[in-house]
Amino acid sequence: MNHKSNRKCVLSTAKVGERGQIVIPKDIRDLFDIQSGDTLVVRGLEGKGVLLMKAEDLLMKADIMKDIALQIFENKDNRDADDKNNDE
């Protein structure tokens, strides 16, 4: 299956300073609307790499996933109740 995306991809580099700090390149800050004072979540997976994500974006996605999970459980409960009623 072919997937097309209109998403913009930016590739840049950043050097790590003595204290482990990096400067996120301006084009990436602009693309993702990263402002001074924003909180970023840093996730590292051994052998794979490091991921940065704005904390507010992660929280928004977590809320969406929570809503989806609740809908799945509600549908399951409804199906279980229907199955029980059909067995009687």
Side-chain angles (χ1 to χ4, degrees):
M1 177 187 290
N2 284 336
H3 293 282
K4 291 187 178 182
S5 175
N6 292 328
R7 295 182 199 177
K8 183 176 179 182
C9 178
V10 177
L11 179 64
S12 292
T13 62
K15 289 190 178 186
V16 179
E18 291 180 19
R19 294 180 25 194
Q21 297 172 314
I22 63 167
V23 174
I24 301 169
K26 184 174 181 350
D27 51 350
I28 292 178
R29 292 192 319 264
D30 290 345
L31 180 62
F32 293 98
D33 192 32
I34 298 171
Q35 305 293 321
S36 177
D38 284 349
T39 299
L40 301 178
V41 174
V42 181
R43 179 178 186 251
L45 183 58
E46 186 176 12
K48 297 292 183 181
V50 177
L51 169 77
L52 296 175
M53 178 182 248
K54 287 179 72 171
E56 65 188 49
D57 293 342
L58 182 61
L59 291 173
M60 182 175 53
K61 289 179 184 192
D63 284 342
I64 291 169
M65 294 302 293
K66 178 183 169 188
D67 291 342
I68 291 170
L70 289 173
Q71 289 175 0
I72 290 169
F73 282 117
E74 287 173 5
N75 289 337
K76 182 186 178 306
D77 289 344
N78 290 338
R79 283 194 313 267
D80 289 347
D82 289 344
D83 290 344
K84 184 178 179 182
N85 288 337
N86 289 336
D87 289 344
E88 293 176 352

